[in-house]
Amino acid sequence: MTGSGEDAHRTPGRLAAVLIDASTAAIGAGGGHAGGVYLRSSTSGMLRLAVLAGLPGPLFRPWWRLHADRPFPVADAYRLGVQVVLPNATETMRRYPQFAAGLPFQFGSLYVPVVGRSATFGVLTVLRPSAADATEVLAERERVARVAEDLARRLEELRDTEPVAWDGEPLCVRPPTAQVSAGRLGRFAWDPATGVVTADAHLHALLGVAPTELGTVEALARAVAPDDTRRVLAALREAAASTPSLPLYVRAADGGLRLLEFWTPEASSAASGARPVRGFVLDPGPGSTADAAADLLPEGVFCLDRLGLVTYANPRAAHLLHRPRDVLLGRPLWDGVPWLAEPDFEDHLRGALLSPEPVHLHVRRPPDADATYEGDWLALSVYPGPDVLTCTVQPTSRMPESADTSEAAQSGTSSLAPLYRPIVLAIALTEAVTARQVSAVVMKELLPVFGGRRLAIYLLQDRHLYLAWESGFPPGFLAPFDGVGLDEHLPGVETLTSGKPLFFDSMQQLTDAYPGIPLDATEGARAFLPLIASGRPVGSCILGFDRPRTFSGEERSVLTALAGLIAHAMDKARRYESEAALARGLQQALLPRRLTDHPLVETAGRYLPGTQGMDVGGDWYDVVEAGDGLALVIGDVMGHGVQAAATMGQLRSAVRAFALGDRPPDEVMSGTNHLLIDLDPGQFASCCYIRLDPVTGLARVARAGHPPPLLRNADGSTRVLDLPGGVVLGVDPGARYPVTEVRIEPGAVLALYTDGLVERPGIDIDDGISALRVALARAGAPTARLAGVADWLTAAARQAVDRPDDIALLLATRRRQR
């Protein structure tokens, strides 16, 4: 678990150095104890942790990669281009429950996007102590924002010479400004251009040499570590070449441990490419009073720095951990004591690194290979500190009550269930509103944790089970089971009818219980789980594994509980989909089947419903006769579902009535506004109303909080009609809606649209409107059929798998008179 150090040598030096400089500067600016930089990668939509400062990388491996669409603070900061401030754990849980479920500890955090001239490079993060609210960290937020601005400027400069992206593992470094409160500390500087080494008096005293004896870098390396001179020189030269290096632990002449840290000043540069290096040497002092006292303690004591390296271990700790002190010191804890690299301990250690409270747990020490001692239990406590974590360890005569006593645990088989927090699945399921989304969450969040490779979900309808989702099974293998009745002798049926989960450690067990059942090519285990929500049968879930395996008692309990969560989510999804179908039907019934025709005006309309749950029902468009002219109308009820569709129908009817009476545009808006307030549906609506004179081309426009129309002139040029308007309908009974006059020439195309066509997560709506204007300009010659232009403008939206909002588009053009 030490790959991050090696990755530093494969990483472009200048980019890595810039990112490390920014990370450490941000930690200081934000009053934090750890932080880092997420950078975009070569995979579209994927962010990767490039630098992690002040924390051990292996402990935070689940957060090394993050998709920009995930509901996490880093993703929001990158996608939306906004700063995210989470002052404490309560605010984190409220706004980002999935993130809080993975790191449920008492800490605050800041996330600032790194935005260049034409792109967002990544996100600067700082983890810091909790605060009461966001107002307490305003100053720190501003300082981190300035660091992010400087980082963006430097990355813009780098982009001319090398790609600004990250695809490897993160660099794990200690901030150079970290305070070292214990031991003897001396500082030095080395300029590769001149070869001169300078050191302070503390370093001369620590090394026991005169100032004249440290004139060269070779002399410095020999004085610091006579037996590790080559390692010290190599690390110094790597630092001068802007290649980051991890903290270096070496042995002094007397065998004592020394810590070396190198860095290059942020502002330094050199034509030769070698930058001046600064650093410090820390000698904890094996004969120090504190260590001598700790060596005599009856309980085991060892210390870790913030990168997980063991900096001290007393003889009792070495005895209890069954590892020699020289094996422990200066190495990552997981290398020195490999059997401690288990999920429960790692989770507790993350808590100690992120929050100020001590943590306590029991760990089972395995027997050694030579059977010179038996495995037993140890009580472990970890006490946080700003730079060092102090750990105590002592034997315990009893097994903790929470220990797994199942056969799997006794046999040494590790259960995968503790790796999984049911709350993570529960929170993810709350965001899934369709059966497909629920199935995708199960596939992504549940199956990999238990080592599964196959998933099938069947839903109950009319006493038959129908396949709703499958993944990993051979093509067509599950087709014979689609639509089976509840009287069939099949495990997927019987788990539902009996309400009991069925677990088979191998295919042989499955065929023994169900002779003649069709099998796929694998010999792996199977789990059949009933999906029952509040006593109502919903369906069944099948998990498939490539190899035989046993299911521990804990795993069976967890999987059964998770099946209940899935059942409730599926039940909710089916209700949502039923209501969504009703809303779509109502919406289609209320939209005009054909637009009012006029010999001098051609019109075309398009409507696309949203695809995510209940995101349907609010948008409408219409073309109505208004005296000797035409009324062009588009609107958007701010809400979704049946209620929004019903409100839309009422507003459409009201606008039609006003238009048929040829009322002025401002009176149409005011009258519709009062109607919506009187109805009091708890909803608002935006609207754009245009009264067009087909003969003269005079258009009189009134807007109520709606996006501005677009106009493509006959010569192909386009512009946004940024006209004055009033507030949305349903808010202010005294609202006024100014009327603006615009001349529409023959052959020009007028485009009205709702925000679903121009609004995307992470993109400013003004940018979306600009993109639509460009698309309108490219939609063909002015003589092109308007229906084809409408299809062109909605093509990308029609092909999108997920449309978060419904879309309406209305186009109009004046025909040339013959």
Side-chain angles (χ1 to χ4, degrees):
M1 302 179 71
T2 58
S4 300
E6 294 179 2
D7 190 66
H9 299 280
R10 300 191 301 269
T11 305
R14 292 180 61 201
L15 175 60
V18 166
L19 297 177
I20 291 173
D21 287 346
S23 299
T24 55
I27 292 173
H33 46 66
V37 180
Y38 278 88
L39 211 61
R40 61 189 184 184
S41 69
S42 59
T43 302
S44 177
M46 185 66 69
L47 302 175
R48 295 193 70 115
L49 183 60
V51 173
L52 180 61
L55 291 173
L59 275 187
F60 294 86
R61 185 179 294 270
W63 296 271
W64 284 6
R65 295 190 305 170
L66 186 66
H67 199 279
D69 288 336
R70 292 296 299 275
F72 279 71
V74 169
D76 276 1
Y78 177 81
R79 189 181 66 254
L80 304 177
V82 299
Q83 299 175 17
V84 177
V85 180
L86 302 174
N88 50 51
T90 301
E91 183 69 5
T92 304
M93 175 59 79
R94 185 184 70 82
R95 294 178 57 187
Y96 297 97
Q98 281 186 263
F99 175 62
L103 294 170
F105 312 119
Q106 295 296 325
F107 70 98
S109 50
L110 304 174
Y111 306 86
V112 179
V114 181
V115 183
R117 291 190 300 270
S118 58
T120 299
F121 294 112
V123 177
L124 199 58
T125 70
V126 176
L127 308 183
R128 62 183 315 282
S130 295
D133 54 50
T135 61
E136 288 192 10
V137 294
L138 285 177
E140 290 85 349
R141 173 181 176 177
E142 292 176 0
R143 288 197 294 266
V144 175
R146 288 195 291 270
V147 175
E149 291 173 0
D150 182 65
L151 174 59
R153 177 186 58 78
R154 299 182 68 186
L155 293 179
E156 286 282 5
E157 295 170 356
L158 275 180
R159 192 163 60 168
D160 297 334
T161 58
E162 60 181 280
V164 180
W166 199 271
D167 291 302
E169 295 183 356
L171 300 172
C172 301
V173 299
R174 178 188 290 102
T177 55
Q179 296 297 316
V180 182
S181 58
R184 296 178 294 157
L185 181 69
R187 301 182 183 275
F188 67 89
W190 169 50
D191 186 351
T194 62
V196 174
V197 172
T198 56
D200 63 14
H202 297 291
L203 184 60
H204 297 146
L206 188 156
L207 300 179
V209 296
T212 56
E213 298 180 44
L214 290 181
T216 66
V217 68
E218 291 80 8
L220 173 66
R222 284 194 300 271
V224 170
D227 296 330
D228 281 323
T229 301
R230 289 185 178 180
R231 289 179 60 211
V232 175
L233 286 173
L236 283 164
R237 287 163 181 159
E238 288 171 358
S242 300
T243 302
S245 60
L246 291 173
L248 185 65
Y249 282 91
V250 295
R251 295 289 178 184
D254 61 0
L257 189 69
R258 280 177 176 164
L259 168 66
L260 284 79
E261 185 85 38
F262 313 124
W263 68 94
T264 51
E266 181 177 351
S268 65
S269 62
S272 65
R275 307 203 303 178
V277 177
R278 295 179 183 174
F280 65 74
V281 178
L282 171 67
D283 189 341
S288 69
T289 304
D291 284 1
D295 283 352
L296 301 177
L297 289 175
E299 65 180 355
V301 177
F302 62 95
C303 298
L304 308 174
D305 69 6
R306 294 197 64 84
L307 294 187
L309 302 179
V310 180
T311 60
Y312 168 78
N314 72 355
R316 180 60 172 164
H319 172 74
L320 291 173
L321 297 175
H322 291 291
R323 305 294 288 173
R325 292 177 76 180
D326 59 351
V327 172
L328 292 173
L329 294 176
R331 302 181 63 182
L333 180 62
W334 305 276
D335 288 351
V337 192
W339 52 267
L340 275 180
E342 57 95 18
D344 192 37
F345 177 68
E346 290 183 350
D347 201 35
H348 281 80
L349 193 52
R350 275 192 289 266
L353 285 162
L354 294 176
S355 60
E357 300 299 322
V359 297
H360 311 280
L361 72 155
H362 289 80
V363 294
R364 190 179 186 186
R365 181 178 56 186
D368 69 343
D370 298 329
T372 55
Y373 64 87
E374 296 295 329
D376 50 20
W377 289 89
L378 300 174
L380 234 169
S381 297
V382 183
Y383 299 89
D387 300 292
V388 176
L389 279 67
T390 302
C391 309
T392 64
V393 58
Q394 53 189 330
T396 180
S397 57
R398 62 180 182 86
M399 183 182 298
E401 295 178 1
S402 61
D404 185 1
T405 57
S406 65
E407 291 182 7
Q410 296 296 336
S411 65
T413 302
S414 62
S415 170
L416 293 174
L419 286 170
Y420 188 76
R421 285 194 182 94
I423 189 174
V424 176
L425 179 63
I427 293 170
L429 288 174
T430 62
E431 300 176 356
V433 294
T434 68
R436 183 176 183 84
Q437 289 171 348
V438 171
S439 302
V441 167
V442 176
M443 186 70 194
K444 184 176 183 179
E445 303 287 355
L446 170 64
L447 203 61
V449 173
F450 291 88
R453 301 294 184 189
R454 293 165 171 77
L455 172 69
I457 294 179
Y458 288 83
L459 297 181
L460 181 64
Q461 183 178 352
D462 299 328
R463 295 188 57 79
H464 288 75
L465 286 172
Y466 294 93
L467 185 62
W469 176 280
E470 67 169 308
S471 178
F473 287 94
F477 173 74
L478 296 177
F481 303 101
D482 193 14
V484 297
L486 295 186
D487 55 350
E488 296 284 348
H489 180 58
L490 293 169
V493 172
E494 294 189 359
T495 189
L496 180 61
T497 55
S498 67
K500 298 178 180 179
L502 302 175
F503 298 94
F504 302 96
D505 295 349
S506 65
M507 284 298 189
Q508 186 59 52
Q509 284 190 5
L510 180 59
T511 55
D512 290 345
Y514 296 89
I517 187 172
L519 304 175
D520 57 15
T522 66
E523 293 295 329
R526 291 288 184 272
F528 296 84
L529 308 174
L531 302 182
I532 300 174
S534 301
R536 297 188 307 275
V538 175
S540 57
C541 175
I542 304 171
L543 306 180
F545 302 83
D546 286 346
R547 300 180 180 84
R549 57 157 297 165
T550 58
F551 296 91
S552 68
E554 184 180 9
E555 284 180 313
R556 292 172 184 246
S557 298
V558 170
L559 284 171
T560 302
L562 295 179
L565 295 177
I566 298 167
H568 279 280
M570 278 294 185
D571 192 44
K572 181 188 70 174
R574 292 202 299 186
R575 293 197 304 271
Y576 266 104
E577 289 173 339
S578 296
E579 187 178 346
L582 177 61
R584 289 190 180 97
L586 181 58
Q587 171 85 343
Q588 293 293 342
L590 292 173
L591 286 171
R593 290 198 173 124
R594 68 180 185 84
L595 299 177
T596 299
D597 193 20
H598 192 284
L600 296 181
V601 178
E602 179 186 357
T603 58
R606 295 291 183 269
Y607 172 77
L608 299 174
T611 60
Q612 297 181 2
M614 294 306 300
D615 289 343
V616 63
D619 293 13
W620 91 93
Y621 60 87
D622 209 350
V623 179
V624 188
E625 291 184 3
D628 57 358
L630 284 181
L632 310 174
V633 189
I634 196 162
D636 182 1
V637 176
M638 297 180 185
H640 301 101
V642 175
Q643 180 63 49
T647 301
M648 179 273 286
Q650 292 171 308
L651 294 184
R652 177 174 177 260
S653 298
V655 173
R656 285 184 67 88
F658 289 129
L660 289 170
D662 202 14
R663 302 276 291 276
D666 56 336
E667 293 186 19
V668 175
M669 289 291 94
S670 296
T672 308
N673 180 45
H674 283 103
L675 173 66
L676 184 56
I677 292 174
D678 292 341
L679 290 173
D680 192 24
Q683 293 173 309
F684 312 122
S686 67
C687 185
C688 183
Y689 182 94
I690 300 179
R691 201 278 189 188
L692 174 65
D693 186 329
V695 177
T696 65
L698 179 65
R700 304 184 70 233
V701 186
R703 286 198 303 144
H706 201 82
L710 302 178
L711 181 64
R712 188 183 76 183
N713 298 312
D715 61 4
S717 62
T718 60
R719 60 190 175 108
V720 178
L721 300 180
D722 193 7
L723 312 173
V727 298
V728 293
L729 305 174
V731 175
D732 179 9
R736 295 290 182 265
Y737 299 94
V739 177
T740 305
E741 294 186 352
V742 178
R743 187 73 61 177
I744 309 298
E745 300 297 333
V749 176
L750 186 65
L752 308 180
Y753 52 93
T754 56
D755 57 7
L757 188 59
V758 295
E759 204 166 34
R760 293 288 182 275
I763 299 177
D764 187 87
I765 190 171
D766 290 337
D767 293 337
I769 293 173
S770 297
L772 180 62
R773 181 185 62 78
V774 171
L776 180 61
R778 297 175 177 173
T783 57
R785 292 285 299 173
L786 212 56
V789 176
D791 290 336
W792 167 269
L793 297 179
T794 56
R798 283 199 311 274
Q799 296 169 6
V801 175
D802 291 322
R803 288 190 297 272
D805 200 0
D806 45 348
I807 293 170
L809 172 70
L810 178 62
L811 303 179
T813 185
R814 290 178 61 212
R815 295 188 175 102
R816 301 179 184 275
Q817 299 186 45
R818 297 179 180 178

